[in-house]
Amino acid sequence: QAEDGIRDHCVTGVQTCALPILAMFAGQSMNRGISTNAIYSGTINRGECMISGSWLAAGANRGACSRGTFTFDQSHNLGTISDSTGVKFIQPNARNTGPIQNSTDCLFASGATNRGTLNNCSGVIFQQSVNRGTLLNCTNLSFTNNSMNYGVISGSVSPIAFSNNSINYGTIAGSATFDNTSTNLGTIRSEEHTSELQSHSDLVCRL
């Protein structure tokens, strides 16, 4: 179809461009552009991917994303994200259930939810969002603007900051700070008091 459209007696309108409704990347796929309503089921490297759509159908990553910038706008990550800078989940239907590791600038905003595991990540911010997963060895970790933690946080070398009406309901092995609008309703233990030694027959807890 030419840019000026097709005109004959059977056509009632003019189409100036054709936009893909669904993009499928499979196998050892690579996307370097911006895709909407995309299902990624292969491997995506070094891409900047805007995955926008329904997390139940389109807009789901099931592959391995690495060394890129990935934004999940009302979309779902079930795959693996690693060695990336700028991993963002935005809007209420944006969800992460996969592992994210060795990545920086991880943002959950505007109602997004984490149910997966973040390991060795820095600059992890929950902004009006919820963590129900596990955060391991993360630095510069904060909850702000009515965010909530129901999950497990361990191994953070810096204090976890709660501000602007944020609440901890989960378990923190380490230290945390709360401003005068935020609350701890969960469990906070120092790292040295939560180590466990497992023998062949007994579990020994040092309290």
Side-chain angles (χ1 to χ4, degrees):
Q1 295 172 346
E3 286 191 0
D4 61 351
I6 298 175
R7 297 180 177 88
D8 64 21
H9 69 282
C10 296
V11 178
T12 58
V14 176
Q15 180 175 343
T16 59
C17 64
L19 296 176
I21 297 174
L22 174 66
M24 174 72 78
F25 297 86
Q28 295 295 311
S29 301
M30 180 182 295
N31 174 54
R32 294 180 182 272
I34 297 178
S35 301
T36 61
N37 293 329
I39 297 177
Y40 296 93
S41 57
T43 300
I44 309 161
N45 290 318
R46 301 183 183 90
E48 182 172 346
C49 305
M50 173 70 76
I51 305 175
S52 178
S54 170
W55 70 274
L56 289 173
N61 169 53
R62 296 178 176 86
C65 300
S66 66
R67 291 172 287 178
T69 300
F70 304 101
T71 301
F72 294 80
D73 183 351
Q74 301 189 69
S75 302
H76 191 186
N77 174 53
L78 302 93
T80 300
I81 300 174
S82 63
D83 304 303
S84 296
T85 301
V87 180
K88 299 177 181 179
F89 294 83
I90 56 177
Q91 304 303 330
N93 285 334
R95 305 192 183 198
N96 174 58
T97 55
I100 302 174
Q101 57 191 12
N102 304 324
S103 296
T104 61
D105 299 330
C106 301
L107 174 66
F108 294 82
S110 304
T113 302
N114 174 55
R115 294 179 181 270
T117 298
L118 275 66
N119 191 8
N120 285 325
C121 294
S122 64
V124 181
I125 300 175
F126 288 84
Q127 191 174 80
Q128 197 178 347
S129 297
V130 177
N131 174 53
R132 296 181 181 274
T134 302
L135 309 178
L136 300 174
N137 307 314
C138 295
T139 59
N140 298 324
L141 174 59
S142 63
F143 293 80
T144 186
N145 294 354
N146 300 290
S147 292
M148 291 174 284
N149 174 53
Y150 292 92
V152 176
I153 303 174
S154 178
S156 177
V157 296
S158 56
I160 297 96
F162 289 80
S163 62
N164 296 330
N165 299 298
S166 297
I167 304 175
N168 174 52
Y169 293 99
T171 299
I172 297 175
S175 61
T177 62
F178 297 81
D179 70 1
N180 57 8
T181 67
S182 300
T183 307
N184 174 45
L185 298 176
T187 302
I188 300 177
R189 300 191 182 101
S190 60
E191 287 281 3
E192 60 268 22
H193 290 159
T194 56
S195 63
E196 296 178 346
L197 300 177
Q198 178 72 61
S199 69
H200 291 293
S201 58
D202 300 298
L203 176 65
V204 180
C205 298
R206 187 177 67 195
L207 300 175

